[in-house]
Amino acid sequence: MSMTGSSAYCVVHAFPPFFRLSNKTMFLLSTPPTTFLPTPTTPRVPLLSSTASSSSTSSSSSSSISLRSSTAPSPSCSSVTPQDNSLVSAKHSHPNMSASVSSRTFLNARSEQDVFAGIKKEVEAGSLPANVAAGMQEVYNNYKNAVIQSGDPKANEIVLSNMIALLDRVFLDVTDPFVFQPHHKAKREPFDYYVFGQNYIRPLVDFKNSYVGNMPLFIEMEEKLKQGHNIILMSNHQTEADPAVIALLLEARLPYIAENLTYVAGDRVITDPLSKPFSIGRNLICVYSKKHMLDDPALVEMKRTANIRALKEMAMLLRNGSQIVWIAPCGGRDRPEAQTREWVPAPFDISSVDNMRRLVEHSGPPGHVYPLAILCHDIMPPPLKVEKEIGEKRIISFHGAGISVAPAISFSQATATCENPEKAKDVFTKALYDSVTEQYNVLKSAIHGKKGFEASTPVVSLSQPWK
């Protein structure tokens, strides 16, 4: 699954910072469009995700990489300009939006009261399902409480601006649901969903108490991408905000990686109305999570077929080279242990690791597998147990977060003494998982243990590259 901070920006023109008008084609697929998932007839309450930084302007990933210096404002400051009503028409602001849809109820809001009145109005008009409306209200209140925790003097402005943008996008999608392709490219025009996602999550990240482990290795990755190599990040997965957190912690120093990461995403974040706007802003390979594969026996075969199609898209992507892909081979989000209540990375699935490893090895360009740890569960913790139904309780907080990467692990070197192929798969998976766990413990000591930079070890060197 994916999916899934705040810096200052100002609006000096008619369109909000999320919009960029251009004559360029929005996206191209290498294969004819295919519907990945059936659109639910009754939208259910979705997940909260992300919003973020006004940093960059380029998003397309190609085998020839043009790297830019970051123009992102410092993440330590966060101010927002309320949305302007003179927006492009609805039919142009959403790729699937029909010309008949013209209501921009939430963009007309000038206060929190206007927002809630708008939700009530659309429910009464029959254009907004009651459960989605309830999710909107819940997210607004929880997001507001979390941003206020940050102590930002402009917290109320930030909340109103970001929630107006989110609710408008949710409402547009409920009216005309966006359908993801197996390989989805982030939508940056005319509405910049990536920047929207960064701006939404940024106020939730306590950058003073956030850290990046082994920044030189992230820089090494960028160099390999420039040389045409592929990079695979084998990672634990904590929240739907993971993609935004990764990008927020890297964007000041490595904007190209922040914007061009491709995430292997589960179906829940691309079908849930409140999650979809954030997912639209990320590069995705869309799959069905192993944890939910058997939820409905009648859909098992369809899900397997869709996953095979997604793997083919992944193979085509890697064949081009210069790709960086994030995957959580645990198949879902981490959760606290039942007895200790401590959060630990969920075990990696051997077959998921091996499938990805073989895809990389047979893609053509050189490939490297790096173990990545992420700690951000405080910002948007998942339910304590895996739930079949979409519509979980959304808890949101302002908190420190961290990511760390360790040197790439070579399958041949890690399994040199293994004579049994099955044993080799297990050894390689364990090596990746153990590295992620070791890095996670350092981040945990720095953030939860309040040790900060003193938590660094010979294996994990902590820094704050946004300073």
Side-chain angles (χ1 to χ4, degrees):
M1 296 178 75
S2 327
M3 15 339 187
T4 140
S6 180
S7 58
Y9 63 86
C10 63
V11 181
V12 293
H13 43 67
F15 299 103
F18 304 134
F19 282 89
R20 294 187 300 150
L21 300 178
S22 167
N23 292 323
K24 294 189 294 183
T25 304
M26 291 188 66
F27 71 107
L28 296 175
L29 287 178
S30 55
T31 55
T34 55
T35 301
F36 173 60
L37 292 170
T39 301
T41 54
T42 303
R44 289 172 288 182
V45 180
L47 280 61
L48 171 66
S49 283
S50 46
T51 316
S53 82
S54 61
S55 59
S56 48
T57 55
S58 153
S59 74
S60 70
S61 119
S62 64
S63 53
S64 63
I65 300 177
S66 173
L67 301 177
R68 306 178 311 286
S69 60
S70 172
T71 58
S74 167
S76 61
C77 70
S78 40
S79 62
V80 178
T81 300
Q83 302 298 324
D84 190 305
N85 276 336
S86 54
L87 301 174
V88 294
S89 64
K91 68 177 180 178
H92 291 130
S93 63
H94 190 295
N96 291 352
M97 188 57 58
S98 64
S100 62
V101 177
S102 59
S103 173
R104 307 306 293 272
T105 295
F106 300 105
L107 290 179
N108 291 328
R110 285 294 174 264
S111 67
E112 180 178 306
Q113 291 73 24
D114 289 347
V115 170
F116 288 113
I119 293 174
K120 181 180 179 181
K121 167 192 167 186
E122 297 300 343
V123 171
E124 292 175 346
S127 51
L128 185 63
N131 57 346
V132 176
M136 287 176 163
Q137 292 178 335
E138 177 186 65
V139 168
Y140 191 105
N141 289 327
N142 289 350
Y143 185 71
K144 176 182 177 180
N145 291 337
V147 176
I148 288 174
Q149 289 174 28
S150 71
D152 193 304
K154 295 187 177 180
N156 288 325
E157 280 184 59
I158 293 168
V159 170
L160 182 61
S161 178
N162 285 346
M163 285 305 305
I164 284 173
L166 172 60
L167 298 184
D168 176 61
R169 293 293 120 183
V170 171
F171 184 62
L172 290 180
D173 192 76
V174 166
T175 308
D176 186 14
F178 181 88
V179 178
F180 288 81
Q181 306 302 320
H183 176 204
H184 168 76
K185 291 292 293 178
K187 303 302 177 196
R188 305 296 303 266
E189 297 169 341
F191 180 87
D192 195 329
Y193 280 90
Y194 170 82
V195 168
F196 151 75
Q198 295 296 96
N199 285 338
Y200 188 90
I201 295 298
R202 191 179 289 104
L204 304 177
V205 178
D206 179 0
F207 284 92
K208 292 181 179 178
N209 295 298
S210 296
Y211 302 91
V212 173
N214 299 330
M215 190 63 187
L217 288 177
F218 285 104
I219 297 172
E220 172 186 294
M221 289 180 199
E222 187 171 82
E223 291 302 312
K224 291 185 183 301
L225 290 170
K226 286 193 286 187
Q227 297 166 17
H229 296 202
N230 290 319
I231 302 294
I232 306 299
L233 301 175
M234 292 283 187
S235 175
N236 67 312
H237 174 30
Q238 296 218 308
T239 77
E240 289 180 338
D242 286 2
V245 169
I246 293 170
L248 286 166
L249 298 186
L250 293 179
E251 66 181 2
R253 179 65 180 81
L254 298 171
Y256 181 85
I257 289 180
E259 295 179 48
N260 288 278
L261 255 168
T262 295
Y263 299 86
V264 179
D267 55 291
R268 295 168 79 86
V269 297
I270 61 172
T271 55
D272 191 323
L274 279 171
S275 294
K276 287 176 69 176
F278 302 105
S279 300
I280 292 171
R282 305 290 162 179
N283 303 309
L284 306 176
I285 294 291
C286 303
V287 301
Y288 285 92
S289 167
K290 190 171 184 177
K291 287 185 178 180
H292 297 284
M293 183 64 71
L294 305 178
D295 285 355
D296 185 343
L299 298 178
V300 170
E301 190 56 38
M302 180 274 290
K303 291 180 179 181
R304 286 176 177 160
T305 300
N307 280 358
I308 291 172
R309 188 163 69 244
L311 284 174
K312 290 180 180 178
E313 290 286 344
M314 175 75 80
M316 292 176 62
L317 185 68
L318 295 174
R319 225 171 277 153
N320 294 326
S322 295
Q323 304 298 323
I324 179 164
V325 178
W326 177 95
I327 180 172
C330 52
R333 290 170 287 182
D334 301 337
R335 284 175 169 81
E337 292 182 325
Q339 284 75 31
T340 66
R341 311 308 300 161
E342 291 291 323
W343 290 75
V344 294
F348 285 1
D349 178 73
I350 296 174
S351 62
S352 296
V353 171
D354 194 60
N355 284 340
M356 196 70 218
R357 189 263 307 174
R358 287 187 289 117
L359 273 175
V360 175
E361 289 183 352
H362 294 93
S363 64
H368 312 274
V369 179
Y370 289 82
L372 179 84
I374 179 168
L375 189 157
C376 64
H377 62 79
D378 301 276
I379 291 174
M380 214 173 284
L384 295 180
K385 296 180 180 179
V386 177
E387 298 179 353
K388 289 186 178 182
E389 295 298 321
I390 293 175
E392 64 193 48
K393 180 74 175 176
R394 283 153 202 89
I395 301 170
I396 310 169
S397 299
F398 173 74
H399 206 278
I403 59 173
S404 177
V405 70
I409 297 179
S410 163
F411 178 79
S412 59
Q413 292 178 8
T415 63
T417 61
C418 296
E419 296 181 2
N420 184 315
E422 294 304 313
K423 177 65 174 175
K425 296 177 186 178
D426 180 65
V427 167
F428 183 58
T429 300
K430 187 176 186 301
L432 289 166
Y433 178 77
D434 288 349
S435 176
V436 169
T437 301
E438 181 180 17
Q439 297 177 78
Y440 183 85
N441 288 335
V442 173
L443 294 174
K444 183 178 177 181
S445 177
I447 298 168
H448 290 163
K450 310 294 185 183
K451 292 185 177 179
F453 294 110
E454 293 181 2
S456 296
T457 69
V459 175
V460 180
S461 175
L462 299 176
S463 66
Q464 293 178 324
W466 45 88
K467 287 187 173 180

